Amino acid sequence: MSEQLPEIELEESGSKGRYVLRGPDGAEAELTFTRVGDKQLIIDHTGVPDAFRGQGAGLRLVSRAVEDARTSGRKIIPLCPFAAAQFRRHPEWADVLKQ
């Protein structure tokens, strides 16, 4: 990773939200989610444009969702195939995975 990735921003509106990494060229990597009540979060989609590929942007977005879920006491349902694959690769996240 040659460049430092920007900070992840959280945008929320109602029960929907997204974590976003914005590049200097306007490119956005995002993870979208839907809150289900106070205790669950569904990861709907993770999108990483070519400008961010190979920099770990997708993993950073999922990791941030995991950190926030731990802090808020939520469980995650990873419907997004990328997020589901990351949960399989990171058994240490089992505490926030909705079984």
Side-chain angles (χ1 to χ4, degrees):
M1 191 182 326
S2 60
E3 294 181 28
Q4 183 73 15
L5 285 174
E7 288 298 312
I8 295 172
E9 298 175 33
L10 173 61
E11 298 174 351
E12 296 181 277
S13 179
S15 64
K16 301 281 188 180
R18 71 182 191 144
Y19 292 100
V20 186
L21 282 167
R22 289 190 172 87
D25 60 354
E28 292 184 344
E30 71 173 359
L31 177 151
T32 62
F33 63 86
T34 302
R35 278 188 309 283
V36 181
D38 292 334
K39 296 295 177 189
Q40 294 181 33
L41 185 86
I42 298 171
I43 296 178
D44 308 303
H45 171 74
T46 306
V48 178
D50 289 341
F52 286 105
R53 296 225 187 264
Q55 300 177 53
L59 176 58
R60 279 193 58 212
L61 291 166
V62 178
S63 295
R64 170 68 187 274
V66 168
E67 290 169 19
D68 287 357
R70 280 188 179 132
T71 301
S72 64
R74 288 191 170 103
K75 296 287 186 178
I76 294 176
I77 302 167
L79 293 184
C80 162
F82 176 81
Q86 291 305 314
F87 270 90
R88 287 191 298 274
R89 290 184 184 119
H90 294 274
E92 69 273 17
W93 295 347
D95 61 309
V96 297
L97 180 61
K98 174 73 174 161
Q99 299 294 337

